[in-house]
């Protein structure tokens, strides 16, 4: 394939929002394969059992098994802007930058399919498959092999121009495209992201234990958040950007030409009280086109209760008492924990909790919660 055709592919990719584009062969280096094995063996995937499945691990290590006749991988980066913000009141929750706008997954999939159609025209008859996020593809390793980005010590991919504010996607193809040069590491002696993680999830350089990661806990994890991790979660109610925000490569990161993930007004520093009032229909309606729907109502409101408990703001007490009647044990349980945090220095709230414990009607609720976990 000529350099001209490669340039044309990059141009088409850019037209669809993929401002980063690199080419590689469908092979994973042995270092990356071994790192994956260690991570899976240590069960750092938490409750994402699919990440530990043998077949999926094998596919991650051998991308050539994903498409008959595969010759090349087109690695793509879809950048988004991470706006600066300051909280105005302690009653606001923090949502990770990428999740403040439309659902990146739906958006990228559409754009990737459109790019694939353009490549059908450009390259003629060839086989291809597109991947965004959910398939067993070791994205960061392929991106590094093609020179698109290197893996930072926080495990995310970093590009010289865009820092780590981008999503990866892949187009596997039977077209024979000359590979680009592999990326080299550029973290140097820096380790800033490691102590910046509020829950200590970066357990060693390049290794993130998902079980400790706020992104995993607030989005993928469906259960009661381990009690020792609730305080460090602070006001983060969906995902976390801390390891990226501190990274020097992100201080001068370029913004995308078009920011397809521009924040919506209601998800940019949302009011916690407004979120805790959402019923199932409200939740569905509000997050229909948003990545936040992934946490489901129970998960999001669980996170909101924790943020309220960490806020030190007594204004939330009446509402937290109200949600002790919610149908979801997950929400009730974390509301009790939040009340206990707010009550720590307040005799009135302590008294209200005692009254709750003494009240026959609430005794059943509290007993049920206690059966899930000892929270008070
Ligand atoms: S903060 Fe430092 S160590 Fe962490 S990813 Fe950025 S450059 Fe690498």
């Amino acid at each position: 394939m000529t350099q001209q055709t490669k340039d044309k592919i990059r141009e088409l990719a850019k037209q669809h929002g993929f401002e980063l584009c690199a080419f590689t062969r469908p092979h994973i280096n042995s270092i990356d394969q071994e790192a994956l094995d260690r991570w899976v063996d240590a069960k750092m995937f938490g409750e994402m059992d699919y990440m530990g499945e043998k077949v999926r691990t094998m596919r991650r290590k051998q991308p050539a098994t994903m498409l008959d006749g595969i010759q090349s991988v087109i690695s793509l980066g879809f950048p988004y802007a991470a706006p600066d913000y300051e909280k105005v009141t302690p009653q606001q929750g923090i949502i990770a930058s990428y999740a403040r706008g439309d659902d990146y997954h739906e958006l990228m999939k559409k754009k990737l399919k459109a790019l694939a159609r353009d490549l059908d025209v450009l390259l003629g008859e060839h086989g291809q498959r597109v991947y965004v996020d959910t398939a067993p593809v070791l994205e960061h390793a392929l991106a590094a092999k093609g020179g698109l980005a290197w893996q930072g010590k926080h495990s995310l991919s970093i590009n010289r121009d865009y820092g780590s504010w981008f999503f990866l996607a892949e187009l596997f193809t039977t077209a024979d495209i000359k590979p680009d040069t592999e990326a080299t590491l550029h973290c140097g002696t820096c380790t800033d992201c490691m102590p910046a993680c509020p829950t200590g999830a970066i357990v060693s350089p390049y290794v993130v234990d998902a079980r400790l990661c706020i992104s995993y806990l607030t989005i993928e994890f469906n259960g009661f958040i381990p009690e020792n991790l609730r305080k460090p979660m602070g006001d983060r109610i969906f995902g976390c950007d801390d390891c990226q925000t501190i990274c020097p490569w992100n201080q001068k990161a370029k913004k995308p030409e078009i920011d397809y993930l521009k924040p919506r007004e209601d998800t940019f520093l949302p009011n916690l009280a407004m979120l805790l009032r959402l019923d199932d229909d409200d939740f569905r309606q509000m997050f229909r086109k948003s990545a936040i729907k992934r946490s489901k109502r129970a998960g999001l409101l669980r996170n909101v209760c924790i943020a309220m408990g960490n806020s030190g703001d007594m204004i939330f007490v009446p509402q937290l008492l109200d949600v002790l009647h919610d149908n979801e044990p997950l929400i009730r349980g974390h509301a009790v924990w939040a009340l206990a945090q707010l009550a720590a220095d307040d005799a009135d709230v302590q008294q209200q909790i005692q009254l709750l414990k003494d009240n026959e009607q609430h005794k059943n609720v509290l007993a049920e919660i206690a059966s899930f976990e000892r929270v008070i």
Side-chain angles (χ1 to χ4, degrees):
M1 180 172 296
T2 62
Q3 184 60 40
Q4 212 181 4
T5 312
K6 277 178 77 173
D7 292 344
K8 184 68 191 163
I9 295 174
R10 282 190 220 277
E11 191 188 314
L12 288 169
K14 196 168 175 183
Q15 281 170 17
H16 291 288
F18 299 101
E19 294 187 23
L20 300 169
C21 174
F23 306 91
T24 190
R25 296 291 181 207
H27 303 299
I28 300 292
N29 293 337
S30 59
I31 292 177
D32 290 313
Q33 291 197 29
E34 285 158 20
L36 174 65
D37 281 338
R38 282 195 298 274
W39 189 80
V40 170
D41 290 347
K43 299 202 181 307
M44 289 193 192
F45 48 79
E47 290 192 358
M48 298 181 286
D49 290 338
Y50 58 92
M51 298 285 262
E53 285 168 12
K54 277 201 166 70
V55 177
R56 287 181 75 98
T57 304
M58 183 277 289
R59 290 222 162 113
R60 279 200 165 83
K61 293 195 288 189
Q62 296 172 27
T65 58
M66 301 285 277
L67 174 69
D68 285 346
I70 184 171
Q71 293 276 355
S72 311
V73 174
I74 307 177
S75 209
L76 299 154
F78 191 87
Y80 59 93
D84 292 334
Y85 61 83
E86 263 185 51
K87 268 180 50 162
V88 182
T89 72
Q91 288 126 36
Q92 291 169 307
I94 306 281
I95 288 174
S97 302
Y98 76 84
R100 294 176 191 153
D102 286 345
D103 187 339
Y104 73 96
H105 185 260
E106 289 171 13
L107 189 79
M108 281 171 66
K109 193 134 200 170
K110 263 190 216 144
K111 292 194 170 293
L112 197 51
K113 283 183 177 169
L115 173 62
R117 283 194 294 273
D118 284 351
L119 294 193
D120 275 338
V121 176
L122 179 75
L123 303 175
E125 194 165 323
H126 72 293
Q128 56 181 343
R129 286 190 75 174
V130 297
Y131 297 103
V132 182
D133 203 20
T134 48
V137 175
L138 206 53
E139 298 191 295
H140 73 266
L142 291 168
K145 248 178 98 59
L148 185 147
W150 70 91
Q151 192 187 15
K153 287 178 190 166
H154 49 22
S155 87
L156 299 164
S157 295
I158 305 180
N159 173 273
R160 269 186 185 283
D161 295 324
Y162 292 91
S164 58
W165 302 120
F166 62 91
F167 285 106
L168 287 169
E170 296 75 30
L171 211 146
F172 286 18
T173 171
T174 56
D176 184 2
I177 310 174
K178 187 173 173 227
D180 292 328
T181 311
E182 192 163 347
T184 45
L185 298 175
H186 294 283
C187 281
T189 54
C190 174
T191 53
D192 289 357
C193 51
M194 298 181 69
C197 175
T199 45
I202 308 173
V203 290
S204 60
Y206 312 104
V207 181
V208 169
D209 187 337
R211 295 167 296 187
L212 299 174
C213 174
I214 292 173
S215 283
Y216 163 77
L217 292 168
T218 55
I219 303 170
E220 306 295 337
F221 180 63
N222 294 321
F224 280 78
I225 305 271
E227 204 167 344
N228 62 324
L229 300 177
R230 293 179 193 169
K231 268 213 165 300
M233 277 172 58
D235 52 7
R236 299 166 194 82
I237 56 171
F238 190 93
C240 173
D241 282 334
D242 286 25
C243 66
Q244 300 194 80
T245 308
I246 198 157
C247 177
W249 288 100
N250 280 338
Q251 308 313 316
K252 47 182 183 210
K254 198 167 145 186
K255 306 265 187 241
E257 282 180 19
I258 301 175
D259 186 10
Y260 291 100
L261 300 180
K262 236 195 318 252
R264 292 162 19 171
E265 213 172 299
D266 54 358
T267 48
F268 191 70
L269 297 175
N271 180 276
L272 295 170
M274 176 275 290
L275 292 174
L276 200 61
R277 277 195 291 272
L278 298 177
D279 63 18
D280 282 331
D281 286 344
D282 299 333
F283 179 85
R284 263 195 298 275
Q285 178 66 21
M286 182 168 172
F287 297 118
R288 200 163 44 96
K289 289 194 171 164
S290 153
I292 295 171
K293 63 179 175 292
R294 189 165 176 83
S295 68
K296 306 195 181 76
R297 172 181 176 268
L300 182 69
L301 270 57
R302 165 199 65 187
N303 306 339
V304 168
C305 287
I306 292 177
M308 285 180 166
N310 288 332
S311 71
D313 195 331
M314 302 303 287
I315 200 170
F316 294 129
V317 168
Q319 213 184 347
L320 286 164
L321 289 169
D322 270 1
V323 294
L324 292 179
H325 301 285
D326 197 277
N327 286 336
E328 291 286 351
L330 203 58
I331 298 172
R332 296 200 298 268
H334 290 80
V336 175
W337 178 84
L339 283 164
Q341 304 311 298
L342 295 174
D345 302 319
D346 191 286
D348 280 354
V349 182
Q350 277 176 10
Q351 200 186 356
Q352 286 194 58
I353 290 184
Q354 194 51 51
L355 285 173
L356 274 173
K357 284 181 177 169
D358 295 342
N359 179 318
E360 278 308 317
Q361 183 198 346
H362 286 105
K363 261 186 183 161
N364 295 337
V365 174
L366 295 174
E368 186 190 348
I369 291 164
S371 73
F372 284 99
E373 193 188 38
R374 282 188 57 234
V375 283
I376 54 173

